[in-house]
Amino acid sequence: MALLASLESYREFLEGMKQDMEGIRYDIRHTTADEDSVVFSMDVCITKADGSAQHFVAMLLMRFDEHEKVSLWHEVYLPRPQAGAQ
């Protein structure tokens, strides 16, 4: 099932997520690019104000138009595999 967000609902989601966020770190593990797009594979760590942390893997696809403006931004988030998991 695909979920689509409007600009308003996405903004609300981000504002809610930021309320207790201390910081976010992206470690890019792999990139693939051509003339029109780039894909990043990243390990992500969100630290919360209470000292807890969330770890996950993110895939980000960005495409660019003829004016070099972002025309597509597509994100996929996955749980980060645990050490030793198959």
Side-chain angles (χ1 to χ4, degrees):
M1 178 171 98
L3 298 175
L4 298 176
S6 68
L7 182 57
E8 182 178 325
S9 66
Y10 188 59
R11 184 173 292 140
E12 287 175 15
F13 163 75
L14 290 176
E15 290 300 323
M17 189 174 81
K18 289 185 336 184
Q19 286 181 354
D20 67 344
M21 183 188 298
E22 186 76 18
I24 187 167
R25 186 183 73 241
Y26 296 95
D27 293 322
I28 296 174
R29 299 297 182 197
H30 185 81
T31 61
T32 300
D34 62 20
E35 298 81 25
D36 301 318
S37 60
V38 62
V39 175
F40 297 105
S41 174
M42 305 173 284
D43 286 336
V44 182
C45 178
I46 294 176
T47 53
K48 304 282 187 156
D50 67 2
S52 64
Q54 291 178 294
H55 299 271
F56 51 94
V57 174
M59 300 291 288
L60 171 61
L61 166 63
M62 295 171 59
R63 290 207 175 152
F64 305 92
D65 66 15
E66 64 276 2
H67 305 290
E68 298 184 8
K69 303 277 186 189
V70 174
S71 63
L72 173 70
W73 181 294
H74 185 79
E75 300 170 80
V76 177
Y77 298 95
L78 304 165
R80 189 166 73 182
Q82 299 296 317
Q86 299 204 25

